[in-house]
Amino acid sequence: MKNVPTLFIPGPVSVHPDLREAMSKQMIGHRTPEFSDLYWDVFRGVQQVLNTENRILLSTSTGTGLMEAAVRNTVKKRCLNLVCGAFSKRWHDITRGCGLPTDIFEVEWGHAIHPEQVETVLGQAEYDVVCVTHNETSTGVMNPLKEIARVIEDNSDALILVDAVSSMAGIDIPVDEWGVDVCLASVQKAWGLPPGFAVASVSPEAMEASNGQQNKGYYFDFEVFEKYYQRGQTPTTASVPHLYGLQRQLQRMNDEGLANRYQRHKSMAERTRSWALNHGFGLFSEDPYHSQTLTCIDNTPDIDIGQLTGKLLERGYRISNGYGALKGKTFRIAHMGDTQPDALEELLTTIDEILKELQ
Ligand code: PLP
């Protein structure tokens, strides 16, 4: 097989050899004591990462599955979706697709959702759920989640559902302190694992909302997860390799230290932003709401991004063009998971060489 490029795209990310090794261990049955040991290890580890006492869902699905789970289990009256890009728009598409009453509040792509805006919108209808995307991967915006959650709590009884798909495990999200009811993520981003698995914390209030909820299906029913939680199991046959991978990754995160891990992400983000600005590019995300796991670079000098990504690929690196309508106008460099600063430096040096060739 041809060499696979090193990934600097915002998921999936390149997977550390330790994790690939852990994931190739022999299978165990999902209704056995050895599975429960693995389950509790991962369950408690995710609780620690999120600083929460809440239940943890270990879901053999991607993050989008858990987004659907979150709204289907909780929305009874009306849902408010705060939209600032393609992935936050997905909350709205999902809610509507599930036939649930829903409103959208949208800001221009590249902008963050501001708490004052949320306060105003909350006054316009009675919402029992608000959906927020912490880190908008299409625009490189990291929304001020703590402040948004505070405003929701102060101005409503709504549950707060958070898509932390491209931030969890790369940025500190103290779930209980911030009052987040559902905090979900896929594992192929800052968790650094292969795609196909997702995790979420679920508050007692969100669990309560699920009781008696109509039309929530079976696969993602919080009550079914709760029933199996009591046995230290998942409701259906779990992706055991992902649980092995998560167990190993939690040990590795512990070895690095969570604070060090978050600082590494922050430093790589700062380095990428200063590299972009020093090369005459702009930042697509509104200042100061820049993501710490990926940088969305504004193509101010109007270079040929297709040529840049093509030449990078020839040298063993893959970065992302802009998302959707932003193709050609922006490009994205991810710096998350197990990516190390020296690898990022090598990428930036290679881009420097290519930019000279393109002049
Ligand atoms: N939300 C955000 C912020 C994302 O970045 C992505 C994927 O890039 C998703 C949701 C969807 O994740 P998945 O494809 O794992 O369902």
Side-chain angles (χ1 to χ4, degrees):
M1 191 174 83
K2 252 177 85 180
N3 274 348
V4 175
T6 306
L7 299 180
F8 285 90
I9 58 174
V13 297
S14 296
V15 177
H16 193 277
D18 280 3
L19 304 179
R20 284 188 273 139
E21 190 193 352
M23 293 184 75
S24 66
K25 284 201 289 190
Q26 184 54 283
M27 214 29 53
I28 54 173
H30 65 295
R31 300 286 178 240
T32 62
E34 50 276 27
F35 179 90
S36 293
D37 289 345
L38 179 60
Y39 175 96
W40 289 123
D41 246 19
V42 175
F43 187 101
R44 295 199 181 102
V46 177
Q47 274 187 324
Q48 273 172 17
V49 170
L50 294 177
N51 249 296
T52 184
E53 300 289 316
N54 289 345
R55 291 285 194 267
I56 301 297
L57 306 187
L58 302 174
S59 176
T60 301
S61 68
T62 68
T64 305
L66 285 184
M67 290 169 79
E68 188 154 325
V71 294
R72 288 187 78 176
N73 278 275
T74 59
V75 178
K76 291 183 167 69
K77 280 190 243 159
R78 197 156 196 89
C79 177
L80 172 64
N81 296 304
L82 304 176
V83 175
C84 61
F87 291 103
S88 36
K89 171 77 175 10
R90 189 171 288 185
W91 273 123
H92 195 59
D93 296 338
I94 291 172
T95 321
R96 255 202 326 218
C98 290
L100 297 161
T102 179
D103 286 335
I104 187 168
F105 170 74
E106 195 161 12
V107 297
E108 205 181 317
W109 282 36
H111 287 241
I113 304 282
H114 292 258
E116 315 80 70
Q117 297 170 319
V118 179
E119 190 173 345
T120 308
V121 191
L122 281 175
Q124 294 168 0
E126 208 181 320
Y127 295 108
D128 56 357
V129 170
V130 180
C131 297
V132 191
T133 300
H134 183 207
N135 196 67
E136 178 46 80
T137 317
S138 60
T139 64
V141 163
M142 186 166 81
N143 283 309
L145 179 59
K146 179 183 178 184
E147 291 75 16
I148 292 172
R150 169 81 53 81
V151 159
I152 298 170
E153 199 175 327
D154 289 350
N155 293 278
S156 74
D157 293 325
L159 296 170
I160 307 171
L161 313 184
V162 174
D163 166 350
V165 167
S166 60
S167 54
M168 189 191 289
I171 300 162
D172 190 23
I173 310 174
V175 158
D176 291 358
E177 189 191 319
W178 291 2
V180 173
D181 291 288
V182 175
C183 187
L184 63 93
S186 317
V187 298
Q188 75 274 17
K189 307 217 183 223
W191 279 104
L193 287 155
F197 205 80
V199 298
S201 64
V202 180
S203 71
E205 291 77 12
M207 280 287 176
E208 174 78 26
S210 171
N211 294 344
Q213 173 78 330
Q214 298 297 303
N215 297 320
K216 58 181 168 172
Y218 179 85
Y219 193 74
F220 288 123
D221 181 351
F222 287 174
E223 285 186 283
V224 178
F225 272 93
E226 179 65 16
K227 183 172 139 199
Y228 282 88
Y229 153 85
Q230 303 293 344
R231 304 175 193 167
Q233 293 177 3
T234 48
T236 55
T237 317
S239 171
V240 174
H242 275 100
L243 289 169
Y244 281 140
L246 272 167
Q247 183 185 45
R248 183 76 189 96
Q249 185 64 314
L250 286 160
Q251 285 162 358
R252 294 182 75 257
M253 285 164 67
N254 216 24
D255 292 345
E256 181 179 9
L258 272 182
N260 294 334
R261 184 179 177 84
Y262 298 145
Q263 183 55 47
R264 173 166 58 81
H265 282 77
K266 187 164 179 270
S267 305
M268 291 192 296
E270 284 165 359
R271 170 68 184 121
T272 309
R273 291 201 294 273
S274 68
W275 174 89
L277 295 173
N278 286 338
H279 286 70
F281 292 105
L283 300 172
F284 189 71
S285 39
E286 175 188 353
D287 197 52
Y289 304 103
H290 306 297
S291 165
Q292 287 174 21
T293 54
L294 76 129
T295 301
C296 186
I297 297 170
D298 201 332
N299 185 12
T300 326
D302 199 24
I303 63 158
D304 185 333
I305 295 176
Q307 273 206 342
L308 170 65
T309 54
K311 282 179 178 287
L312 269 173
L313 206 49
E314 285 165 15
R315 291 169 216 206
Y317 299 100
R318 193 183 280 282
I319 64 166
S320 280
N321 206 321
Y323 191 99
L326 294 179
K327 191 170 176 190
K329 298 192 177 109
T330 64
F331 60 99
R332 292 169 300 158
I333 298 177
H335 25 75
M336 59 168 96
D338 288 304
T339 299
Q340 297 299 319
D342 54 352
L344 176 68
E345 223 43 66
E346 281 170 24
L347 170 78
L348 297 177
T349 306
T350 310
I351 301 181
D352 282 345
E353 289 164 13
I354 295 172
L355 289 179
K356 281 197 196 109
E357 288 167 25
L358 290 181
Q359 272 170 9

